[in-house]
Amino acid sequence: AFVSTPAVRELLEVRERASGSGFLWDADRIAGRPGYATTDVPAATMLCGAWPEVFLGLWGDGIQIEINPYDSAGFKSGVIQARVLVSLDVAVLTPAAFCISTSIT
């Protein structure tokens, strides 16, 4: 699957593969593979890889949700402050299964 930014998606949605043959990013697919856009990728960058090769291992307390019990102003307005903490490690079993392009224009 491919992962990139919303700006790269917009650029590739209007760029044709070849004249009259469709667009590079079409119906959330690139070259027949899933394409995802997120703001968590640096600008003008696209990642491509075999994502089943990535493993996330939770450790310690795993996922923690903490609520702020001391925010009286937020309570009065119906706002609850919370944060989520996740302790994990990331393992890429086959680094060669991934590639990155950093200058898509």
Side-chain angles (χ1 to χ4, degrees), residues 1-4 34 36 46-55 91-92 97-99:
F2 293 84
V3 178
S4 192
Y36 302 98
M46 179 180 282
L47 300 145
C48 176
W51 296 99
E53 295 293 315
V54 178
F55 285 86
V92 179
F98 292 86
C99 62

Side-chain angles (χ1 to χ4, degrees), residues 3-53:
V3 178
S4 192
T5 65
V8 169
R9 177 184 60 199
E10 290 175 12
L11 175 70
L12 298 180
E13 282 177 333
V14 297
R15 187 168 291 166
E16 287 187 290
R17 290 188 297 262
S19 183
S21 68
F23 299 99
L24 291 173
W25 193 310
D26 190 22
D28 290 329
R29 298 190 73 75
I30 303 169
R33 303 282 186 222
Y36 302 98
T38 177
T39 56
D40 292 327
V41 175
T45 300
M46 179 180 282
L47 300 145
C48 176
W51 296 99
E53 295 293 315

